[in-house]
Amino acid sequence: MNGSGLSRRDAVLLFAAAAACLPIAARAAAAGELPGNSIYQFRPPLTDQDGHTFDITSLRGAPVLVSMFYSSCEMVCPMIFETIQLTLKALPAAERERVRVLMVSFDPARDSVAVLKQKAEAHRCDARWTLARTDETSARKLAALLGVQYRRLASGEFNHSSTIELLDADGRIAARTGTLAAVDPGLLKALRAAISAHA
Amino acid sequence: MHAVHAVGIALLTACGAAFGADYMALPGGRFVSVLPQGSVPTATVPVDIEPFALRTTPVTAGEYLAFVRANPAWQRTQVPEVFADKRYLIDWRSAAQLADDAAMRPQTNVSWFAAKAYCESEGARLPTWLEWEYAASADETRRDARADPAWRRRILAWYERPSAALPPNVGGPPNAYGVRDLHGLVWEWVDDFNALFIAGDSRTQGDPDDLKFCGAGAISVIDRDSYAVLMRIALLSSLGAADTTSNLGFRCARPLDGARP
């Protein structure tokens, strides 16, 4: 984009690619306009623990527990995973099936797909879980939308807030908890409400 | 699209935006922030600021108008509320028209998301807090004037003035780096505005409140005499990324040629 030799052919191809996206956008709109306060208004380039790229709007239709983390974090981040596992376990099995979990790394430099895969296995994350990576700028934007705060230290470690957000089926923040290593009754109640709203 | 936008900026510059999209190279180096930077919340360690380029002035309303015309998704009638609150660009006459005589004013009433999008359109980004604080430590002749009580009083005097309905035009006197308007005109977004108070490394399990922050250090500040800078930190930390205020604008930063953004 810095005028660094985009050939005419490349420009034509880019334009064609952009035009090709339009029908997709039109279809999405037909499926129901995304609310203006939906986190899914932002569509970061995401890659999951199996190396597949995916669109965050593919989570639409299910309540989602979402949090951000980094894999080399030894103390609080494992507790986020544990807290979500506890919260899922507190649900009746039929309701549990309807929930998705999204964990996005804010350490793209170190959290490769292989690291995410390893992390997912270490925390016994089943098919409901998606561990994802994105670029640094997108991670910062997603964190801002979720209200997650983090700061990289000179050591390469991060100081960060540790919260879990509940998104409703349209990606709106429905609840948030800072409780770790225990089930927050408020979060559980909001989660069950979100599940029954989209049953 | 990019080329068209670049032409727009060039025209604006030619039409009298004398300080247009000018960037100044700053050398960086060792810097002691008012915020703790080490692993111990009560002590600071100097940090190394990489060389970078900083806009010499905040982004003006005229420049922001050119951006909105090239990117209609950022019109106040189009932008989703997760990216900008209801006061976004409230000072404009309409979705694509400024108020009278506003072109050279710093654009305020912009959210962090909007400021980021503008900077990306310029091949730039928002400065980090440390980059901003480092650049803003200079007065007209010294690169670090912070120890001078007279300079501190001068800056503080601006914060004591009631803010006018609209900020005056950009183009104040340059500081020792050639950067203008860091003090005395508007507050400015920084990239890490919401992470400034996350400091320290006390990963205790005792108090549940401590667990909200991994390494929830006490909010501690090294140089308590830097009231003016502390007020900025307090303001930025109180904001959400979609918030806008009438005296909060922004400027962009860039890596120096050859480096990655």
Side-chain angles (χ1 to χ4, degrees), chain B residues 91-93 97-105 166 169:
Chain B
D91 53 301
W92 288 22
R93 178 168 296 145
Q97 208 180 2
L98 303 180
D100 289 340
D101 303 322
M104 288 302 290
R105 288 194 192 121
L166 283 169
N169 290 348

Side-chain angles (χ1 to χ4, degrees), chain B residues 45-99:
Chain B
V45 291
V47 288
D48 288 316
I49 310 262
E50 293 292 313
F52 67 106
L54 188 64
R55 256 180 168 265
T56 55
T57 62
V59 171
T60 64
E63 289 164 338
Y64 199 82
L65 175 64
F67 162 73
V68 167
R69 285 188 171 152
N71 302 276
W74 283 101
Q75 285 180 11
R76 69 185 186 196
T77 49
Q78 299 295 315
V79 67
E81 64 189 85
V82 278
F83 296 141
D85 67 17
K86 289 190 167 28
R87 294 182 44 87
Y88 171 64
L89 301 183
I90 200 171
D91 53 301
W92 288 22
R93 178 168 296 145
S94 69
Q97 208 180 2
L98 303 180

Side-chain angles (χ1 to χ4, degrees), chain A residues 141 149-151 159-162, chain B residues 120 194-195 198 200 212 214:
Chain A
K141 287 181 185 172
Q149 299 169 272
Y150 65 92
R151 191 158 70 106
N159 280 339
H160 62 103
S161 62
S162 303
Chain B
E120 284 168 14
N194 65 352
I198 306 176
K212 193 175 162 204
C214 188

Side-chain angles (χ1 to χ4, degrees), chain A residues 2 4, chain B residues 25 50-53 123 254-261:
Chain A
N2 301 322
S4 55
Chain B
E50 293 292 313
F52 67 106
R254 260 183 197 163
L256 291 180
D257 290 343
R260 283 163 47 84

Side-chain angles (χ1 to χ4, degrees), chain A residues 35-90:
Chain A
N37 57 352
S38 170
I39 297 298
Y40 301 156
Q41 292 282 354
F42 175 54
R43 294 164 77 171
L46 293 166
T47 306
D48 70 16
Q49 69 266 36
D50 294 317
H52 301 130
T53 57
F54 69 102
D55 188 326
I56 198 164
T57 58
S58 65
L59 295 168
R60 239 185 131 177
V64 180
L65 292 171
V66 56
S67 190
M68 296 184 75
F69 76 109
Y70 72 108
S71 290
S72 50
C73 170
E74 288 172 0
M75 169 61 208
V76 168
C77 304
M79 290 172 69
I80 300 175
F81 282 84
E82 184 194 333
T83 306
I84 293 175
Q85 296 281 25
L86 288 173
T87 307
L88 291 173
K89 267 187 206 147

Side-chain angles (χ1 to χ4, degrees), chain B residues 22-255:
Chain B
D22 286 344
Y23 282 77
M24 195 62 79
L26 276 71
R30 280 267 140 139
F31 180 70
V32 177
S33 171
V34 297
L35 286 176
Q37 298 298 319
S39 56
V40 181
T42 49
T44 196
V45 291
V47 288
D48 288 316
I49 310 262
E50 293 292 313
F52 67 106
L54 188 64
R55 256 180 168 265
T56 55
T57 62
V59 171
T60 64
E63 289 164 338
Y64 199 82
L65 175 64
F67 162 73
V68 167
R69 285 188 171 152
N71 302 276
W74 283 101
Q75 285 180 11
R76 69 185 186 196
T77 49
Q78 299 295 315
V79 67
E81 64 189 85
V82 278
F83 296 141
D85 67 17
K86 289 190 167 28
R87 294 182 44 87
Y88 171 64
L89 301 183
I90 200 171
D91 53 301
W92 288 22
R93 178 168 296 145
S94 69
Q97 208 180 2
L98 303 180
D100 289 340
D101 303 322
M104 288 302 290
R105 288 194 192 121
Q107 181 62 56
T108 57
N109 297 313
V110 281
S111 66
W112 177 83
F113 286 110
K116 273 184 88 75
Y118 178 92
C119 290
E120 284 168 14
S121 80
E122 231 174 66
R125 56 177 174 76
L126 287 172
T128 64
W129 166 258
L130 287 174
E131 287 169 341
W132 191 93
E133 186 189 0
Y134 157 79
S137 298
D139 69 359
E140 285 88 340
T141 55
R142 295 165 293 184
R143 289 184 167 184
D144 193 344
R146 293 178 296 171
D148 180 357
W151 183 75
R152 287 180 171 182
R153 276 197 299 277
R154 220 175 86 202
I155 291 176
L156 209 51
W158 171 63
Y159 293 91
E160 286 164 359
R161 285 204 308 269
S163 56
L166 283 169
N169 290 348
V170 302
N175 74 7
Y177 295 114
V179 178
R180 302 165 194 269
D181 305 321
L182 286 161
H183 298 284
L185 194 60
V186 287
W187 309 82
E188 295 180 23
W189 283 111
V190 293
D191 194 54
D192 49 352
F193 76 98
N194 65 352
L196 303 178
F197 274 157
I198 306 176
D201 199 34
S202 58
R203 296 174 188 189
T204 61
Q205 281 197 70
D207 183 346
D209 281 346
D210 283 352
L211 285 174
K212 193 175 162 204
F213 292 97
C214 188
I219 293 168
S220 80
V221 160
I222 302 307
D223 184 352
R224 289 168 201 280
D225 291 331
S226 304
Y227 303 115
V229 168
L230 297 183
M231 275 195 280
R232 281 203 182 239
I233 295 169
L235 174 93
L236 288 169
S237 298
S238 73
L239 293 170
D243 289 346
T244 70
T245 87
S246 60
N247 51 15
L248 179 62
F250 69 104
R251 75 179 71 216
C252 313
R254 260 183 197 163

